[in-house]
Amino acid sequence: MFAIVNGVIVTEQQFLYDYVVFIEGTTIQQIVHQSEAQLDGVETIDANGGYVSPGFVDIHSDYIETIVSPRPNSVMNMNIGLRESERILMTHGITTIFHSLSYYGDDKYSHKAIRNPENVQKCVDAISASHDEPHLIRHRLHARFEIDSVDQLQQLEENILDGKVHLLSFMDHTPGQGQYRNLEIYKDIMRGYRTMTDYEADTLIKEQIDKEKITLEDIERLSRLAISRNIAVASHDDDDVQKLALVQSYGTTISEFPITLDVAKEAKRLGLQTIAGAPNILLGGSHTGNLSAAEAVQAHVIDIICSDYYPPAMLHGIFELANKYEEDLHALFQLVTINPARAVNMAHEIGSIAVGKKADIIIIEQMADGYPVVTSTIVDGKVILQTNYR
C-alpha cells in the first residue's frame, strides 16, 4: 500500500483539499481527510500541492502513425513504435490511449506507407498483443474506417470478431463536404503534400468524388456487430444537422469533430457525446477553417477533448481554457477523464478517482510561470513515471 498526500484531488464532483488517496494493489482503497489518515509505515508520494487527477483517457489519437512512420515512406518496427509511444504518452498524463488507425482507400496525393492495409494490420496486431506483454499504459484500438475502403470491409469485420477493435468510427473525407467542404482550402492542403497544378488538383478531386463507397447497409451491419460487442460507434466531421439523425439511426453515440457550432449544439441535444481536438485549442482554431474548439467548449457543447495528433495538447489545452478563457478547471478535467471513459464504456473501471476503481492517477504540478507538468504517473497502482525538475 502507498498514499498520495499534499495534493488537490480531482474527483468527479469537486476538488478535494487536505485529503489523502490510499492505493493498494491495482485499485484505490480509500480517500480520507488527512486528519483521519493513518500513515504510519505507509510509503507516500508528495504531490507538492499539485493536482491529483485521474489519468487522461485519449480516445482519438493518430500519433502512433508518426512514431511508427516518421517519414511518409519509412515504416519502423511496430513493437518498437508502440513501446516508444507509451514512454512518451505517459509523460503527458495519458494512461489510456485509443490508437486511431485509418483504413483508407487508395490516396493518390498524400500517400503514407503506414496506411497501407498490411501495415495497418501489423499495428492492429501489435496493439492486441500488448495486452498480454509487459506494458506501461492501456493500449486500445480506434478503428477509423473511411467509406471508400471497400476492399477492407472483411478485414475490419474479422478484427471486430477477434476482439481487436475497441472503438469504431466511419469517416467520409470526400471533397466538397464534411471537413473538406471548402474545396479551395482542400486544394491548399493537397498542395502541402506535393506540387500540383489546378488541373491536376481538380482531376484528383473528381476521382475522389467518383470513388466507390461502402453502402449504408454495410455501415449499419458493422455498427450492429460492434455494438453487440460493447464497442462504441462514432461519426466523424458531422457537417449538417440532418446527418446527425442518420448516424444516430445506426447506433452512433459519439460525434467526432462537429464542423459548426450549430451541428455541435444539435449533437448535444440528441444526446451524442461530442469530441473536439486539443491542438485546435492551442492553435486558436481549426487548420481547415472549421469549428473553434475553444468557442465550442465555451458554448458548453463539447463533452470530450482528445489529443488528435499532438499528445501534449490535452494537458496544455485544459489549462489554456482555464487561464485564457476563464473556463472552470474542474469541469475541464472531466473532458479528458471520466467523459471519454464513459463514451467508450470503460467508466466502471477508469476515468475518476473513486474507491474501488483502477488506480490510474497522475500528479500535475505547475512551474513558477504556471506551466503544467506531469510529475508522476500511476497505472494499475504501479508508479510508471516520476519526474523531478532541477
Side-chain angles (χ1 to χ4, degrees), residues 167 227 231-235 247-248 251-255 271-274 343:
L167 173 61
I227 293 166
I231 300 167
V233 178
S235 59
V247 300
Q248 198 172 36
T252 292
T253 54
I254 302 169
S255 175
L272 296 172
Q273 300 287 303
T274 52

Side-chain angles (χ1 to χ4, degrees), residues 69-88:
S69 184
R71 291 186 176 179
N73 292 317
S74 300
V75 179
M76 312 303 286
N77 178 278
M78 298 296 173
N79 290 317
I80 291 175
L82 199 63
R83 288 175 174 172
E84 290 305 316
S85 74
E86 66 179 356
R87 284 159 52 86
I88 296 167

Side-chain angles (χ1 to χ4, degrees), residues 181 238-244 255 257-270 272 274 290-292 295-296 299 301-302:
R181 67 194 191 283
D238 294 321
D239 62 348
D240 187 271
V241 293
Q242 281 75 35
K243 180 182 175 184
L244 293 170
S255 175
F257 314 122
I259 297 300
T260 68
L261 193 59
D262 285 342
V263 173
K265 287 178 179 178
E266 180 64 9
K268 282 281 291 180
R269 190 189 71 78
L270 291 172
L272 296 172
T274 52
N290 296 321
L291 178 63
S292 160
E295 179 185 356
V301 294
I302 293 299

Side-chain angles (χ1 to χ4, degrees), residues 144-371:
R144 304 175 60 199
F145 195 83
E146 186 73 24
I147 63 170
D148 66 1
S149 306
V150 178
D151 59 350
Q152 296 183 62
L153 270 174
Q154 183 177 350
Q155 184 64 70
L156 173 62
E157 185 168 353
E158 289 175 5
N159 285 331
I160 293 173
L161 291 170
D162 289 341
K164 295 179 179 180
V165 176
H166 308 97
L167 173 61
L168 174 63
S169 64
F170 293 98
M171 305 183 298
D172 182 2
H173 286 105
T174 303
Q177 58 82 56
Q179 181 180 3
Y180 299 129
R181 67 194 191 283
N182 186 315
L183 288 178
E184 291 308 311
I185 291 178
Y186 184 68
K187 287 181 183 180
D188 288 340
I189 293 171
M190 293 170 70
R191 293 188 182 102
Y193 288 99
R194 67 177 174 85
T195 302
M196 63 179 71
T197 65
D198 279 342
Y199 175 78
E200 290 173 324
D202 289 338
T203 300
L204 286 175
I205 286 173
K206 185 177 186 307
E207 288 177 1
Q208 288 183 282
I209 292 173
D210 292 342
K211 275 184 180 180
E212 181 186 3
K213 312 290 195 308
I214 63 173
T215 66
L216 182 58
E217 288 73 21
D218 291 324
I219 293 174
E220 291 175 337
R221 178 176 58 81
L222 285 170
S223 296
R224 285 196 299 271
L225 177 62
I227 293 166
S228 72
R229 292 174 171 263
N230 202 36
I231 300 167
V233 178
S235 59
H236 188 82
D237 293 339
D238 294 321
D239 62 348
D240 187 271
V241 293
Q242 281 75 35
K243 180 182 175 184
L244 293 170
L246 172 64
V247 300
Q248 198 172 36
S249 72
Y250 55 76
T252 292
T253 54
I254 302 169
S255 175
E256 292 192 315
F257 314 122
I259 297 300
T260 68
L261 193 59
D262 285 342
V263 173
K265 287 178 179 178
E266 180 64 9
K268 282 281 291 180
R269 190 189 71 78
L270 291 172
L272 296 172
Q273 300 287 303
T274 52
I275 300 182
N280 182 310
I281 298 166
L282 300 184
L283 292 170
S286 165
H287 72 286
T288 53
N290 296 321
L291 178 63
S292 160
E295 179 185 356
V297 171
Q298 289 176 285
H300 305 293
V301 294
I302 293 299
D303 298 297
I304 298 163
I305 293 173
C306 68
S307 76
D308 199 357
Y309 55 86
Y310 187 58
M314 292 178 76
L315 173 64
H316 295 286
I318 62 172
F319 278 87
E320 174 102 347
L321 288 166
N323 296 330
K324 183 176 179 179
Y325 300 97
E326 300 183 342
E327 288 296 305
D328 178 65
L329 183 58
H330 178 267
L332 294 170
F333 269 110
Q334 313 312 305
L335 305 187
V336 293
T337 57
I338 189 61
N339 288 3
R342 286 196 185 105
V344 293
N345 304 317
M346 295 182 74
H348 61 291
E349 283 193 316
I350 63 171
S352 60
I353 295 179
V355 173
K357 279 200 170 184
K358 292 287 188 182
D360 286 12
I361 295 174
I362 61 175
I363 296 173
I364 303 166
E365 299 181 45
Q366 291 180 272
M367 302 176 101
D369 61 357
Y371 188 86

Side-chain angles (χ1 to χ4, degrees), residues 4-24:
I4 302 174
V5 301
N6 192 26
V8 180
I9 302 171
V10 183
T11 70
E12 286 186 52
Q13 295 77 27
Q14 61 188 325
F15 287 140
L16 292 180
Y17 298 88
D18 303 321
Y19 275 71
V20 178
V21 178
F22 286 90
I23 296 168
E24 185 167 23

